[in-house]
Amino acid sequence: MPQSLRHHRLLAASLGLGLATAHVAPAAAETLYDAIAEAYQNNPNLQSQRASQRVTDETYAQARSGWRPTLTLDASATYQERRTPPRALSFGQSEIERGNSGALQLTFRQPIWTGGRTAAAVTAANADVLQGRENLRRLESQVMQAVIQAYVDVRRDQESLLIRQENVKVLQAQLEESQARFDVGEITRTDVALSQARLAASQSLLQSAQAQLAISRSNYATLVGRNPGDLAPEPSLAYLMPGNVDDAFNIAEQNSPLLRAQLFAEQASRARIAGARAERMPNVTLQASGLYSEGPIDNFDRGLYRRDATAAVGVTVPLFNGGLTTSRIRQAIERNNVDRITVETQRRGVLQTITQAWNQLLAARSNIVSTDEQVRAAKIAAEGTHQEEQVGLRSTLDVLNAEQELRAAQLSQVSARHDEYTAAAAVLTAMGRLEARNLIPREPQYDPRSNFRKLRITWGWTPWEEPISALDGALAFPTIPRSHDLAREPAIAPGLPGAAAPAQPADAQPSKAKPPTVKRAPLGLYN
């Protein structure tokens, strides 16, 4: 092909590509706010836990049914046929007698006093609901932390990939320079072989960096529900961080979902002790019934049916059951002992987690300062080594070592910033602050209390339920302990910076023609 024709075709292709891309607006970078909001709405683990909480809510309604009446309808129809053989009769002929009858009974039962059994069951169920809400908070925090981890992993691996790519380019240029100097006799074949070996090693590390980025992207897609695009720098979490580790301890004791869930578990088991003791108390029930019975069904006549109406107040007093009740009381007491001891275990575990994450945070901040200085010095050393090589003061090996130290320093710098952010997220998770209302307050928030409120007065509720419940609790012996919610700190403003980019489809892939642009803004906690 003539050179001029090839030139014109290349020019036309480049102009066509320019016109095709001129109308494409640059996409805004995806933020951490976007990723957390997407996971908060669509993460299957979080949705499953919300459904599990609604299951737990139903136990409260089921416990309250012990104060509510029951109405049952029993109906029966009977057909009778009696055959007498001829030998049993004096006149020698068989006799057949047929008949039918029916019965219809409507029974109404209303508990008046359960001895505190139902009051204890309701208290325990309420504590179970409160514990379930804390478990939901804990899973929400874990999902938020996992999203943050995946987000900064992708950004770290993107920057690491760029560093590896730059290293391959520099070593490729170094190899070409070494080959040229060898051709003119300035250096030996050993220098060329050293350059070739370092280039091959850097290419291998580049492949590993690409694989690691693919793994991090898959982790991100699993949590968020779509592949990551161009990720913006992480916003500051300083507005959520305490001033010192002692403040973190105090906040965690009040706000940690793990510790609060165990406190509610102890409330539930304490109520179940009272429920076990209430099994010794009498049970008072009001019962009324109406009965239609007898009479032929095939020729219904109300006048042929017997009608009975009864109303009674029954008192059931347990006297002896072979020690079963006493055994259940001892069992409930020991279960409560376990829950009480576990409260301290959880408290120590939370404090240990905060201590570890806080020290990792301090170490990461120190590493950022050290690696920044390391990168600055390594750049100067690499540039100086290149210049000294040109005048014969340094060997090829010196240049290769200087480049290797520079890339290692840059990778350490990226890892230190990554580690600082993840350590901060771990501290906030242990404190109970890493939740949607503090991170994405402008998004619709899931409120587990709304479903619970619907169950308070629903199908089966009766107007006299409230006085019966008050009577059941007031006359219980021993007194039924009440489960109660614990104070929590209010939401913390202002939240993460808002979403600027529209959500991408779940199957969105980065452009193959151009790798994602990675902003080299610091990953640090205080940006």
Side-chain angles (χ1 to χ4, degrees), residues 18 78 87 141 165-166 187 189 269 271 345 377 426 428 495 499 506:
T78 304
R87 286 187 235 174
S141 294
Q165 290 173 342
E166 181 68 19
I187 58 176
R189 183 174 297 276
S269 63
T345 302
L428 295 176

Side-chain angles (χ1 to χ4, degrees), residues 199-220:
L199 176 60
S202 67
Q203 289 172 339
S204 175
L205 294 174
L206 175 61
Q207 297 296 325
S208 298
Q210 291 173 341
Q212 182 59 48
L213 177 58
I215 293 172
S216 297
R217 285 174 59 86
S218 68
N219 294 337
Y220 181 97

Side-chain angles (χ1 to χ4, degrees), residues 436-475:
R437 64 176 188 151
N438 292 334
L439 297 176
I440 49 173
R442 293 174 294 281
E443 296 296 314
Q445 303 289 309
Y446 178 80
D447 184 8
R449 295 172 297 180
S450 61
N451 179 73
F452 182 78
R453 285 191 293 265
K454 295 176 183 177
L455 300 176
R456 183 63 178 83
I457 299 179
T458 183
W459 173 255
W461 180 85
T462 56
W464 55 86
E465 177 182 331
E466 301 305 325
I468 290 178
S469 65
L471 178 67
D472 193 42
L475 298 182

Side-chain angles (χ1 to χ4, degrees), residues 219-253:
N219 294 337
Y220 181 97
T222 300
L223 291 165
V224 178
R226 54 185 170 85
N227 290 323
D230 181 13
L231 301 184
E234 294 81 6
S236 173
L237 296 176
Y239 72 99
L240 292 175
M241 292 297 296
N244 52 63
V245 69
D246 292 330
D247 292 342
F249 291 154
N250 295 331
I251 294 170
E253 288 193 352

Side-chain angles (χ1 to χ4, degrees), residues 178-295:
S178 298
Q179 185 65 48
R181 295 181 63 189
F182 171 75
D183 293 340
V184 298
E186 292 184 4
I187 58 176
T188 65
R189 183 174 297 276
T190 302
D191 295 317
V192 177
L194 285 172
S195 299
Q196 291 174 338
R198 290 294 177 88
L199 176 60
S202 67
Q203 289 172 339
S204 175
L205 294 174
L206 175 61
Q207 297 296 325
S208 298
Q210 291 173 341
Q212 182 59 48
L213 177 58
I215 293 172
S216 297
R217 285 174 59 86
S218 68
N219 294 337
Y220 181 97
T222 300
L223 291 165
V224 178
R226 54 185 170 85
N227 290 323
D230 181 13
L231 301 184
E234 294 81 6
S236 173
L237 296 176
Y239 72 99
L240 292 175
M241 292 297 296
N244 52 63
V245 69
D246 292 330
D247 292 342
F249 291 154
N250 295 331
I251 294 170
E253 288 193 352
Q254 176 189 9
N255 208 48
S256 168
L258 190 63
L259 181 56
R260 288 167 60 91
Q262 187 57 41
L263 290 172
F264 289 130
E266 193 276 332
Q267 288 185 13
S269 63
R270 191 164 6 116
R272 290 188 172 97
I273 295 176
R277 287 172 173 162
E279 294 296 328
R280 293 172 171 172
M281 303 299 291
N283 195 359
V284 182
T285 305
L286 172 65
Q287 178 171 321
S289 64
L291 173 66
Y292 274 102
S293 63
E294 303 300 335

Side-chain angles (χ1 to χ4, degrees), residues 11 21 26 77 86 99 221-222 259 304 317 339 361 363 372 386 414 471 479 488 495 501 524 527:
L11 179 61
T21 58
T222 300
L259 181 56
L304 299 178
V317 181
D339 289 333
L361 177 61
D372 287 346
H386 276 285
V414 171
L471 178 67
T479 304
R488 280 178 57 194
N527 289 350

Side-chain angles (χ1 to χ4, degrees), residues 27 33 53 58 70 107 119 154 167 203 242 272 291 301 326 333 349 404 426 432 434 467 475 510 522:
Y33 184 103
Q53 180 59 29
E58 295 295 338
T70 58
T107 304
V154 171
N167 192 39
Q203 289 172 339
R272 290 188 172 97
L291 173 66
D301 185 353
T326 305
I333 291 174
Q404 185 177 10
L434 200 70
L475 298 182

